[in-house]
Amino acid sequence: MRFPVRASALALAGGLAVAGCASDSAPAPVEFASQKGQPLGKAEERARQAGLTFSSHDASEGDRAPRADWSVCFQSQRERRVEFAVVRKAETCPSADGRPIPWLRMPDVSGRPVSSARAELTAFETALMKGVRLVGARPGVNPHAHPGDGASDSWTVCSQRPAPGTALDERWQAEEDIELLVAPPDARCP
């Protein structure tokens, strides 16, 4: 028995509709924008809003447990799952996931005027969230005795802590601020 053309068309359309429903049951892939440089918590929230599942891990060679305020260095996506590789917010991203962190190194500012040393260390203060402390190189010398008179600009850095070339890694970051031992223009460094 032959079906009328209209019935065949309806049967074919119904079959396509059923086939279309079957293909709609698998969610379409989502292209997720790079979250590099973003705090992990914000990146996770964006992934959640995009309907993705996510996880995170330490981007360095270590195995530390990530926190929401860590920064995203790398991300990979497979279908509807995104993986964030992160470091602490004061750290620099490694060259690749699982590689060592390229720690900042303390520059040598000894023998320079205080104003020049402070200018060079400004980026370190910001990146490390540490201050630069001026300390008199000799007992009784107070670089803060006359604040605002500009005299400390002509003072000289005699020595520094940490030493030049020191890796400013997480062990160092747990210690005190950067410290410059200074002498006034009319005094020699010890």
Side-chain angles (χ1 to χ4, degrees):
M1 176 165 121
R2 292 181 60 183
F3 291 105
V5 174
R6 192 179 323 167
S8 296
L10 287 174
L12 180 60
L16 289 175
V18 170
C21 288
S23 67
D24 286 342
S25 65
V30 173
E31 187 63 35
F32 189 59
S34 173
Q35 300 298 305
K36 185 174 182 177
Q38 295 296 317
L40 176 60
K42 184 181 263 186
E44 288 175 338
E45 181 58 32
R46 288 179 178 158
R48 186 178 296 110
Q49 290 171 351
L52 300 172
T53 57
F54 52 86
S55 59
S56 61
H57 66 272
D58 185 351
S60 76
E61 60 191 352
D63 190 25
R64 305 170 296 181
R67 295 175 42 151
D69 63 342
W70 286 26
S71 298
V72 175
C73 292
F74 311 102
Q75 75 184 49
S76 59
Q77 183 178 348
R78 190 172 186 140
E79 297 177 8
R80 299 190 60 81
R81 178 163 187 75
V82 65
E83 174 77 19
F84 299 111
V86 296
V87 294
R88 288 184 178 137
K89 62 184 173 182
E91 296 173 346
T92 303
C93 290
S95 59
D97 193 3
R99 303 286 301 161
I101 292 174
W103 297 105
L104 293 171
R105 299 231 172 240
M106 182 67 182
D108 186 358
V109 295
S110 295
R112 294 175 46 188
V114 168
S115 57
S116 171
R118 300 269 330 229
E120 183 170 346
L121 294 172
T122 299
F124 288 81
E125 288 179 285
T126 302
L128 301 170
M129 295 179 285
K130 292 277 189 181
V132 173
R133 253 181 351 126
L134 301 179
V135 177
R138 295 183 184 276
V141 174
N142 182 357
H144 305 288
H146 306 287
D149 67 2
S152 66
D153 289 345
S154 60
W155 288 44
T156 302
V157 176
C158 298
S159 62
Q160 63 189 65
R161 282 193 290 258
T166 300
L168 304 179
D169 60 15
E170 57 193 357
R171 287 172 295 169
W172 178 82
Q173 290 180 31
E175 295 176 10
E176 293 185 30
D177 294 342
I178 295 168
E179 188 174 83
L180 303 179
L181 279 73
V182 298
D186 59 348
R188 301 175 113 200
C189 288

